[in-house]
Amino acid sequence: MRITAGMTGFALVILTMALAVPWPAVAQEDGWSGTVDLGYRFVSADGNEDKYREDVNLSEGLRLFNVELSSYRADSDLMDEFLFSASGLGGDPYTRAGLRLRKTGRYDLQIGYRSSDYFYRDAGYFFSDIGDLHTWNSRREFYNLSLRIQAADWVTVRLGAERMDRSGDSETSGDIQQEVFQFAQPVDQEAMSFWLGADFHWSWADLTIEQRLNSYENRWLQTVENSDGLEPGGSTLNSYRLMQVQDADTPVTRLQLAGNPHDNVRFTLGYAHMAADVDYDVDGDWDGLDFTTAAFQTALTNTGAVSRDADLMDLDVTWSPVPNLDLTADVSYRTYDQDGTIDFLETQTGGVEAGNFPVQGMLANRLDLLTYGLTANWRVSSAWTVLAGAGMQTRETDFDLTGPVVETERTIYRGGVGFRPSARVDLRLVLETGEDDDPLTQVSPTDIDRLTFRGRLRPRENLHVSFHYKDETRENLLSTSLGVPTDDVPPATEMTTAEFDVSSWGAFVGWTPVRLDLSLGYTRTEIDSNADIVYLTGFTFAPVFDLFTTLDQTGYTSDQDSVQALVRMDLGKGWSAGAMAALSRSEGTFPVDWSHLSADVRYQLPKGL
């Protein structure tokens, strides 16, 4: 597979009036304050609707974009701060609401809710008109409660809980009797987490101790009725049901010690241990006609219990031998062990594959990952900074059921430069490159390169320019065995993103000075991917060994331009009005053009109400 992406260049012209109105700082006052931001969004989308829902998924309608209400009472013994905030209300795919109650120096209570929607359906992708047989349309809802108690000047106690519910619908596929079928699979997942911890602070060190309990349950129910399958294999299903349930309980213990024992030495030492007990049960039954048109019935049971242990250790030490030089050494070690048993039984009556097919066995897997490196940050002058570093990652895996121990090694080098002559100019360039020896698979990357460039400019107090450019390449240089034909291009992945933003405020409207906020941004992305799919159709031994193959190709291309503009004007007496326009045009495998236009009115309560 080869993916190439690049930015063809961009230009942005912005015109603002040069008169700026300074805004005095407002001190926090007793009483109530807040804002309400209400508006309407217009949406227009043409082209591949599924791709729009995957990437954007914003719909038209009335929205409560943001609401915030706060109160401050300096003389209250019970609570001196109250804050409620919410955003995305009215049908957006991302919704958030939160409540905070706090008494300075005593406690901090937070209650929160958020939700997110996710959609996936790439029909017509790959080399087949059928496309990807997997679809996904789900909603996640998160509920959280946390409390921080200042038990003493040097001790803070933390406790809380979080719950995640995921629901929706999806479709998956499977091979039954040498035929591909598509199954409905509702989404039904639940996860919870409870924690209790304490933070201790001394003169030069901070210690954190935390205990968590994470639980997870996932239920898959695959069903289909009266299906002839998706390929001309001759098999049919009268009915199909497969129920899978997986649940796990994972206690997690975490310790962290951070300190500054000397003026030129800083360190952070962390350790975490996780021990998971995972149980899963599978049962199903299906019947129909097999690939010879003979009637059959099948029953399946599958149970298992797995124990997983993981240890994570991290150490970062920074030493400053001279005031303008920082040397940072980091070491990270991960170890993972899994042991368990499986008990599998499939029974078929009728058809050419009739019989009992039991499987019983043990699972024993191990993974060790060690990463270490050294980074130097040298402040050459008040304006220039130079960054250089090198690192190594070694990985050892032992999967008893799939082969011998596998060892891989990756080297990583990092360099960069920063230029900040004043508070108005900040430019940073970082280049990273790495190489893998003996990757795990034929398609694992062997060369990795990453280039990042960030910049911020403030030519005037009322004008701000920022831009971000990132290019990441992952390439496989391994050859294909047995002489299978390729297009002489190794599997590779390259992705480039670029963002450019300009914002300004301050103008005279009529005879009254008002504040005007303006922001404009542009992004250009190009993606071109292709991969070969080779089928082995036959071979000969005499007079010479030869392979007969057929070659199919699959690809994905996308050229996308996106522009976004925001403007907000202060109308006085707490009122302001704003508008946002976003335009995007994407050509390629999934062509789609969309535009958003929203307008809103915001009201801010007077200070100290």
Side-chain angles (χ1 to χ4, degrees), residues 153-154 200-207 257-263 267:
D153 292 341
W154 55 280
F200 303 91
H201 175 71
W202 292 280
S203 60
W204 59 269
D206 294 291
L207 174 65
L257 178 64
N260 192 185
H262 194 271
D263 291 342
F267 76 91

Side-chain angles (χ1 to χ4, degrees), residues 455-510:
R456 292 198 305 269
L457 304 175
R458 292 189 62 188
R460 293 174 56 92
E461 289 296 331
N462 64 332
L463 181 62
H464 175 85
V465 180
S466 64
F467 43 89
H468 172 226
Y469 181 88
K470 180 181 179 181
D471 182 275
E472 182 171 316
T473 302
R474 297 174 178 269
E475 188 172 12
N476 188 338
L477 301 179
L478 297 180
S479 61
T480 306
S481 60
L482 297 179
V484 177
T486 68
D487 60 356
D488 297 325
V489 177
T493 301
E494 183 176 340
M495 182 66 68
T496 300
T497 60
E499 298 176 354
F500 191 71
D501 180 80
V502 174
S503 60
S504 175
W505 67 267
F508 276 109
V509 177

Side-chain angles (χ1 to χ4, degrees), residues 3 36 56 133 146 156 172 178 237 267 308 339 356 384 412 424 432 480 499 510 529:
I3 301 179
V36 177
V56 186
L133 300 180
S146 65
T156 302
T172 186
Q178 303 184 21
L237 287 176
F267 76 91
R308 297 171 180 167
D339 295 289
N356 294 327
W384 290 94
I412 301 173
R424 298 183 181 273
E432 295 175 284
T480 306
E499 298 176 354
S529 68

Side-chain angles (χ1 to χ4, degrees), residues 317-319 325-330 373-378 386-391 414:
V317 179
T318 299
W319 175 45
L325 177 63
D326 293 333
L327 301 177
T328 301
D330 60 273
L374 179 65
T375 303
N377 194 318
W378 179 29
V386 177
L387 173 71
R414 188 168 183 248

Side-chain angles (χ1 to χ4, degrees), residues 509 514-517 567-572 575-579 602:
V509 177
V514 299
R515 173 169 172 168
L516 179 69
D517 293 286
V567 62
R568 175 161 297 279
M569 179 181 296
D570 189 347
L571 304 178
W575 291 92
S576 63
R602 177 182 301 172

Side-chain angles (χ1 to χ4, degrees), residues 207-225:
L207 174 65
T208 295
I209 302 175
E210 183 181 85
Q211 181 65 48
R212 283 180 177 258
L213 176 61
N214 300 327
S215 65
Y216 172 79
E217 184 173 82
N218 194 359
R219 292 170 289 272
W220 300 273
L221 175 60
Q222 299 174 7
T223 59
V224 69
E225 292 184 4

Side-chain angles (χ1 to χ4, degrees), residues 290-330:
D290 69 7
F291 56 92
T292 67
T293 69
F296 76 96
Q297 289 184 335
T298 299
L300 170 68
T301 59
N302 186 1
T303 61
V306 177
S307 176
R308 297 171 180 167
D309 290 283
D311 292 279
L312 301 82
M313 289 164 279
D314 295 281
L315 173 63
D316 295 325
V317 179
T318 299
W319 175 45
S320 304
V322 293
N324 63 336
L325 177 63
D326 293 333
L327 301 177
T328 301
D330 60 273

